[in-house]
Amino acid sequence: MRQAGDIAALMVGTLFYVFALLSLGLLISTRAQNQMQALQMSMVFIMPSVFFSGFIFPRETMPWIFYAISTCIPATYYIELERALILRGASLGDFWFNLVMLAGMSTLLFSLCAAQFKKKIA
């Protein structure tokens, strides 16, 4: 069976995506007072990620407001990158914008998390 995608490229994309999600989780944990509150806050991010990222419904068929919201979700860029690498056999160079967006979101979320944590312990 022929392998369409590059596993190393997929791992690099996954690394950026996981760092973005971990940073988001850390940001939620710095804001929440207890576990139940953290669970409720995470649902605010999980549901839009599933519906607006293009995982279930194609982004091109969404109303413009949902399409705009989807541009702020890391899963959108990861799913697009994953589909390109695995299904079409694309390279990371073809989808550098997705990596840049994931890296930018990761950096922004981690910076917000660090600032919030610094404020919380001070």
Side-chain angles (χ1 to χ4, degrees):
M1 186 170 183
R2 184 181 169 274
Q3 179 180 335
D6 182 14
I7 298 297
L10 182 63
M11 291 298 155
V12 169
T14 302
L15 181 72
F16 282 106
Y17 178 62
V18 167
F19 187 66
L21 292 184
L22 288 173
S23 298
L24 180 60
L26 285 171
L27 182 62
I28 289 171
S29 70
T30 59
R31 299 288 300 164
Q33 300 297 322
N34 54 39
Q35 186 177 0
M36 184 56 72
Q37 197 175 39
L39 180 65
Q40 291 170 343
M41 289 172 146
S42 66
M43 291 309 269
V44 171
F45 295 101
I46 291 172
M47 296 307 285
S49 289
V50 171
F51 289 114
F52 300 149
S53 65
F55 179 68
I56 296 176
F57 307 110
R59 290 179 62 217
E60 294 77 25
T61 62
M62 293 180 187
W64 70 270
I65 188 71
F66 296 140
Y67 191 88
I69 291 170
S70 74
T71 60
C72 302
I73 299 172
T76 301
Y77 301 102
Y78 180 68
I79 288 171
E80 188 177 324
L81 178 68
E82 183 181 70
R83 285 183 178 154
L85 290 173
I86 293 175
L87 298 178
R88 295 192 299 266
S91 68
L92 280 180
D94 298 332
F95 286 87
W96 61 269
F97 179 75
N98 293 47
L99 280 180
V100 169
M101 288 301 293
L102 285 172
M105 287 180 179
S106 300
T107 305
L108 176 69
L109 287 169
F110 192 76
S111 299
L112 288 172
C113 173
Q116 184 64 32
F117 185 69
K118 190 174 185 179
K119 188 188 318 181
K120 193 172 187 174
I121 62 171

